[in-house]
Amino acid sequence: MDTTLFDDFLELVRELNFSRAAENRKMTQPAFSRRIKQLEAAIQTPLIQRTTRQVTLTAAGRAFQPRAEAIVRMLSEARLEALEAAGLAQRTLNLAATHALSYTFVPKWLMQVGGPSQIGALNMVSDTHRQGVRLLQNGEVSFFICHKKPNIAEDLPEKQFRFHPIGSDRLVPLCAPDESGRPLWRLGSAASQIPFIAYSSASGLHAILEAHGIGDGRRGIETKMNSVLASTNLEMAKEGQGVAFLPLSLAEQEMARGTLVRAGDPSLDVPVQLVIYRPRSRLSAHCEAFWLKVVSQDT
Amino acid sequence: MDTTLFDDFLELVRELNFSRAAENRKMTQPAFSRRIKQLEAAIQTPLIQRTTRQVTLTAAGRAFQPRAEAIVRMLSEARLEALEAAGLAQRTLNLAATHALSYTFVPKWLMQVGGPSQIGALNMVSDTHRQGVRLLQNGEVSFFICHKKPNIAEDLPEKQFRFHPIGSDRLVPLCAPDESGRPLWRLGSAASQIPFIAYSSASGLHAILEAHGIGDGRRGIETKMNSVLASTNLEMAKEGQGVAFLPLSLAEQEMARGTLVRAGDPSLDVPVQLVIYRPRSRLSAHCEAFWLKVVSQDT
DNA sequence: CTGAATTCATGCGCGTTCTGCATGAATTAT
DNA sequence: ATAATTCATGCAGAACGCGCATGAATTCAG
């Protein structure tokens, strides 16, 4: 049985669509279809319910999914472990961070934890929240730094991953000022439609704002555009396109400069945690050393 | 990458010999050799030190081994989990026991734990200690029942497996009686060579006796034959071939009948625990229910 | 010191398996 | 009713892996 069958399966679980999954796995759809069949043959039970228009997991598939994720991660870790032992020890720390944090917060924070000299080579990948989750699950990175709203449903199963708070942030409604320095719009004012600059759904901030009741459907608010990149939204807001909820960490310079001003009073702010995730399973010595530094840090 | 490459690797680790490992894996040696190379290519570092006459693990190989074991077990568990969820739930309890225990002790004990009606179908495989360890490691069985001498080095890593005591036994030196009912030989008597019926090295009892100082090299004792099967040794002893250390659980009927008698006083007995091993990782609901019964049992 | 034996690696031919392309079947949307 | 989407199947070419035969290196015996 080919180990990449697990990757195929997990991709299919994400997409619930053979054609798209096949494309993501860089295969033709027939080949992909047969590979899923092959996996099912190996497991000796169907994992997928195929009804032409609706692809769903069977009970067996649902049971199998978390195991498959664990196996994929374990495969990756086993390889890294061996490489490290071989001395080819890429002393590289692989970590993912969401776009919003990788620009400003993460670099600063890494210096606090201990300069790069102590960390060794750093391989940081900046991507969406969704991708970061995936990278961590696949074992392609050892850590993932992102925003987290307390008590929101987790994307990462508690049983396999743990997190540690490393800071806090606020999502602040901001927009460009008019000539007199006052906000172009003001949330809560019963005025006309307010153009809203949102996050697209792959973004973690999207989920957080949704959970906070600040989503598309809100009255008096019209989503004007959305982007995965908080910094793109920041630029749009600066140009007077509308109101955006932006992380304070990202926007505080602009606020100080006066190029962005509050479009609502602080009671509307959304407090969020900044956290770092890791797998519960044992990582390489190098990564564990880093984690020790992280948790001994007082934030 | 083929998952059976892990099985190949682990077999090679056990044998440290390509030819024998290839045979065990039912392949020709060249094919096996290439498969190990393929694995090393996938991991991207050599795992094996080949010096024609001496096969050893590299540092990477040593680091890789426990991971490989975990992966193999997890693969097996993932499949069983899916099957159970599919309702094909072979409500079968897969357990291994050493030959010595599977005849007499295990059946009795299972009835104590709760009759087969409560356990469901039972699939017990009786084999050597070494094989039992392997079956458990590979996830082919969920439990393994064997003898255990307290404080002896474990074959099963504490980190991945736990055990629970389920009884105790003694290894008693026994032989056939002469016409007057007295033992043909007597350990400790400074008489001539005593023929000894030993266990071959695949047996767990072999290791226990070795650890107790009752091995080949002992003065006044000449190993006459050895077998993996305690019951074979029992038969040999009954036929007057020599002295054997036999589990009380196996031999007590013969002792009561007088067909076997002590060849040494009780101070020579070797006390052993009877234990059941299980993986620390979560098993199927069915197996966990069984485990609960096991640990709640007072022995 | 020499020849036999053991053990792992390599070359070659063959069969199996997998992929991509083209196409079919089933369902949904317009 | 027709078009579009989506998964399954038939077929041909390519790639991969196995067994067999053989080679190279080391060990052991006399």
Side-chain angles (χ1 to χ4, degrees):
Chain A
M1 187 161 108
D2 188 344
T3 56
T4 56
L5 286 176
F6 293 102
D7 298 302
D8 291 341
F9 172 73
L10 292 175
E11 187 60 47
L12 180 57
V13 170
R14 277 189 286 267
E15 294 287 359
L16 291 177
N17 176 311
F18 279 70
S19 305
R20 276 200 302 277
E23 195 175 345
N24 294 347
R25 298 286 300 143
K26 303 188 201 311
M27 253 183 277
T28 60
Q29 170 268 317
F32 185 80
S33 188
R34 277 184 291 243
R35 283 178 65 84
I36 295 297
K37 275 200 176 162
Q38 193 182 328
L39 175 65
E40 292 177 320
I43 306 296
Q44 291 173 359
T45 191
L47 302 170
I48 304 286
Q49 200 106 38
R50 301 142 160 93
T51 26
T52 315
R53 201 65 179 183
Q54 190 76 345
V55 173
T56 51
L57 287 176
T58 62
R62 282 190 297 276
F64 186 68
Q65 181 191 351
R67 302 286 185 153
E69 283 165 354
I71 289 170
V72 166
R73 194 149 25 79
M74 203 164 251
L75 285 167
S76 174
E77 282 172 13
R79 184 176 155 276
L80 288 177
E81 181 100 350
L83 284 178
E84 179 157 354
L88 307 175
Q90 320 189 340
R91 286 233 166 283
T92 316
L93 204 62
N94 291 297
L95 76 82
T98 54
H99 289 305
L101 293 174
S102 56
Y103 292 115
T104 54
F105 174 79
V106 173
K108 260 192 291 180
W109 174 76
L110 279 174
M111 298 311 277
Q112 276 178 32
V113 173
S117 57
Q118 296 186 42
I119 292 171
L122 178 71
N123 183 17
M124 188 175 83
V125 37
S126 171
D127 213 318
T128 65
H129 188 273
R130 185 178 294 172
Q131 273 294 327
V133 167
R134 201 154 133 186
L135 292 170
L136 189 63
Q137 282 185 329
N138 291 354
E140 289 173 54
V141 299
S142 306
F143 304 100
F144 174 44
I145 296 172
C146 61
H147 286 97
K148 177 180 185 319
K149 185 166 164 14
N151 310 324
I152 202 179
E154 295 292 331
D155 310 86
L156 291 160
E158 273 278 347
K159 276 195 78 163
Q160 294 178 41
F161 300 94
R162 44 185 309 209
F163 65 87
H164 186 78
I166 56 177
S168 59
D169 206 345
R170 305 175 73 79
L171 299 178
V172 186
L174 296 170
C175 65
D178 59 16
E179 300 80 9
S180 60
R182 278 183 301 206
L184 289 173
W185 301 274
R186 182 160 272 284
L187 290 181
S189 69
S192 59
Q193 290 290 84
I194 296 177
F196 185 57
I197 303 171
Y199 298 97
S200 51
S201 57
S203 163
L205 298 178
H206 174 88
I208 289 175
L209 288 176
E210 280 289 339
H212 219 254
I214 304 164
D216 289 338
R218 206 166 152 82
R219 65 180 171 71
I221 284 183
E222 180 196 20
T223 299
K224 187 116 181 257
M225 69 156 290
N226 55 39
S227 137
V228 281
L229 281 173
S231 55
T232 302
N233 287 7
L234 180 142
E235 293 300 327
M236 297 305 287
K238 270 169 67 181
E239 289 182 17
Q241 299 293 324
V243 175
F245 276 80
L246 295 169
L248 198 59
S249 63
L250 195 70
E252 55 190 353
Q253 285 187 14
E254 305 290 346
M255 290 170 76
R257 231 179 269 151
T259 43
L260 281 176
V261 295
R262 280 188 172 278
D265 64 77
S267 68
L268 291 174
D269 290 2
V270 180
V272 289
Q273 271 185 309
L274 304 185
V275 300
I276 181 167
Y277 278 94
R278 61 157 289 179
R280 285 190 185 273
S281 60
R282 211 193 153 280
L283 299 171
S284 73
H286 185 230
C287 290
E288 289 294 347
F290 173 73
W291 180 257
L292 265 180
K293 277 191 215 152
V294 168
V295 295
S296 64
Q297 190 87 6
D298 41 6
T299 46
Chain B
M1 187 161 106
D2 188 344
T3 56
T4 56
L5 286 176
F6 292 103
D7 298 301
D8 291 340
F9 172 73
L10 292 175
E11 187 60 48
L12 180 56
V13 170
R14 276 189 285 268
E15 293 286 359
L16 291 177
N17 176 312
F18 279 71
S19 305
R20 274 200 303 277
E23 196 175 345
N24 295 346
R25 297 287 298 144
K26 304 190 200 310
M27 253 184 278
T28 59
Q29 170 268 317
F32 186 80
S33 189
R34 277 186 291 244
R35 283 179 66 85
I36 296 296
K37 274 201 174 161
Q38 194 183 327
L39 176 65
E40 291 176 320
I43 305 295
Q44 290 174 358
T45 191
L47 303 169
I48 304 286
Q49 199 107 38
R50 301 139 159 96
T51 26
T52 315
R53 201 64 178 186
Q54 191 75 346
V55 173
T56 51
L57 287 175
T58 62
R62 282 189 297 276
F64 186 69
Q65 181 192 350
R67 302 286 186 154
E69 283 165 354
I71 289 169
V72 166
R73 197 149 24 78
M74 196 159 262
L75 285 168
S76 174
E77 282 171 14
R79 183 175 155 278
L80 288 177
E81 182 100 349
L83 284 179
E84 181 158 354
L88 307 175
Q90 318 189 339
R91 285 234 167 283
T92 316
L93 204 62
N94 291 298
L95 76 81
T98 54
H99 290 305
L101 292 174
S102 56
Y103 293 115
T104 55
F105 175 78
V106 173
K108 261 193 292 181
W109 175 77
L110 280 174
M111 298 310 278
Q112 276 178 33
V113 173
S117 56
Q118 294 186 43
I119 293 172
L122 177 71
N123 182 17
M124 187 176 82
V125 35
S126 171
D127 213 318
T128 65
H129 187 272
R130 185 178 294 170
Q131 273 295 328
V133 167
R134 200 153 133 188
L135 291 170
L136 189 64
Q137 282 185 330
N138 290 355
E140 291 175 52
V141 298
S142 306
F143 303 100
F144 174 43
I145 295 173
C146 61
H147 287 98
K148 178 180 185 316
K149 185 168 165 8
N151 308 324
I152 205 180
E154 295 292 331
D155 310 87
L156 291 159
E158 273 279 349
K159 277 194 78 162
Q160 293 179 40
F161 300 94
R162 46 185 309 211
F163 66 87
H164 185 77
I166 56 176
S168 59
D169 206 344
R170 305 174 74 79
L171 298 178
V172 185
L174 295 172
C175 65
D178 60 16
E179 300 80 8
S180 60
R182 277 182 304 205
L184 288 173
W185 301 274
R186 180 158 273 285
L187 290 181
S189 70
S192 58
Q193 289 290 84
I194 295 177
F196 185 58
I197 303 170
Y199 298 98
S200 50
S201 58
S203 162
L205 298 178
H206 173 89
I208 288 175
L209 289 177
E210 281 288 339
H212 219 255
I214 304 165
D216 289 337
R218 205 165 153 83
R219 69 183 165 70
I221 284 183
E222 179 197 18
T223 299
K224 187 121 180 252
M225 68 156 291
N226 55 38
S227 137
V228 281
L229 281 172
S231 55
T232 303
N233 286 7
L234 180 141
E235 294 300 326
M236 297 305 287
K238 268 169 69 181
E239 290 183 17
Q241 299 292 323
V243 175
F245 275 80
L246 295 170
L248 198 60
S249 62
L250 195 69
E252 52 191 357
Q253 284 187 14
E254 306 289 346
M255 290 171 75
R257 232 179 270 152
T259 44
L260 281 176
V261 295
R262 279 190 172 276
D265 63 77
S267 69
L268 291 175
D269 291 2
V270 180
V272 290
Q273 271 186 308
L274 304 186
V275 299
I276 181 167
Y277 277 95
R278 62 158 288 177
R280 284 191 185 273
S281 60
R282 209 191 154 284
L283 300 171
S284 72
H286 185 229
C287 290
E288 289 293 349
F290 174 72
W291 181 255
L292 266 181
K293 279 190 214 154
V294 169
V295 296
S296 64
Q297 190 88 5
D298 38 9
T299 46

